Amino acid sequence: MGAVKNMVRGVIVTAVYVTTTIIIPMYTFSLIRDYTGAFLEFSEQDYATIVFWLTAFGVLICGCAFFTYSSPKQSIRRGVFALIQIIVNCLYIWSYKFSGATELIFSFQMGDQSGFVALNLQQMILVYMGVYFLTIVLKIYDIIDFIINREKIREDRMKA
């Protein structure tokens, strides 16, 4: 029964990751691109690049999430896939910066008045990268702990 429970948990978490890493960002960028009240200063090629990288890394994150959450708790496999998932999450966040998604410039024209609003989120990306670095250190510690205490973890699983 435990294997079926793990697989169901893996599918549910994967569905959540699909929603948060692929569907919501694509919907958000399509809304920004299609907004008619302001002119967004990036080309169709920029939009295609953003969507490509978000989708590519989003699919990788979803795959890693499935293998992470369908693995038994405190297993070496779960620890390794969790570490890989965190690294892919870092690449996903970094892809926002290099695809141009963190620098949005809206130009407005109202009669004879014009202006622009610039939204630069690059510093926020660096803060996220710092948090992810600490998470990578924690996941490495977890893997080492799972390897060292492998026999004790197996004994505890047999008792339960």
Side-chain angles (χ1 to χ4, degrees):
M1 187 64 184
V4 173
K5 179 181 166 186
N6 287 341
M7 295 301 273
V8 168
R9 182 175 13 147
V11 168
I12 290 170
V13 170
T14 301
V16 169
Y17 272 95
V18 165
T19 304
T20 57
T21 61
I22 298 173
I23 295 173
I24 292 174
M26 286 179 97
Y27 182 72
T28 302
F29 280 106
S30 67
L31 280 178
I32 290 172
R33 182 186 65 167
D34 296 339
Y35 183 64
T36 58
F39 178 69
L40 184 60
E41 293 185 4
F42 67 79
S43 67
E44 196 64 35
Q45 179 63 34
D46 293 336
Y47 174 75
T49 302
I50 291 168
V51 169
F52 171 77
W53 285 112
L54 295 183
T55 304
F57 284 120
V59 168
L60 286 174
I61 289 171
C62 294
C64 290
F66 174 77
F67 288 115
T68 299
Y69 290 97
S70 65
S71 300
K73 291 183 179 178
Q74 293 185 324
S75 68
I76 296 170
R77 178 177 60 193
R78 185 177 188 140
V80 168
F81 276 114
L83 179 62
I84 292 169
Q85 182 182 357
I86 294 297
I87 292 169
V88 174
N89 279 341
C90 289
L91 295 173
Y92 177 80
I93 294 294
W94 201 250
S95 73
Y96 272 98
K97 181 176 180 175
F98 284 110
S99 66
T102 58
E103 300 173 21
L104 300 175
I105 300 173
F106 295 96
S107 297
F108 295 94
Q109 183 71 33
M110 298 173 129
D112 60 343
Q113 300 281 329
S114 65
F116 72 94
V117 174
L119 184 62
N120 189 344
L121 303 173
Q122 289 183 359
Q123 294 300 316
M124 187 177 76
I125 297 297
L126 293 177
V127 170
Y128 277 120
M129 294 302 288
V131 171
Y132 275 123
F133 172 75
L134 295 175
T135 308
I136 288 171
V137 171
L138 181 65
K139 294 299 177 186
I140 290 172
Y141 173 78
D142 283 345
I143 292 171
I144 293 169
D145 181 42
F146 297 159
I147 291 171
I148 291 173
N149 297 317
R150 186 176 192 175
E151 295 300 321
K152 184 175 185 282
I153 292 169
R154 284 185 180 171
E155 289 174 8
D156 290 344
R157 261 192 225 141
M158 294 299 169
K159 290 178 185 176

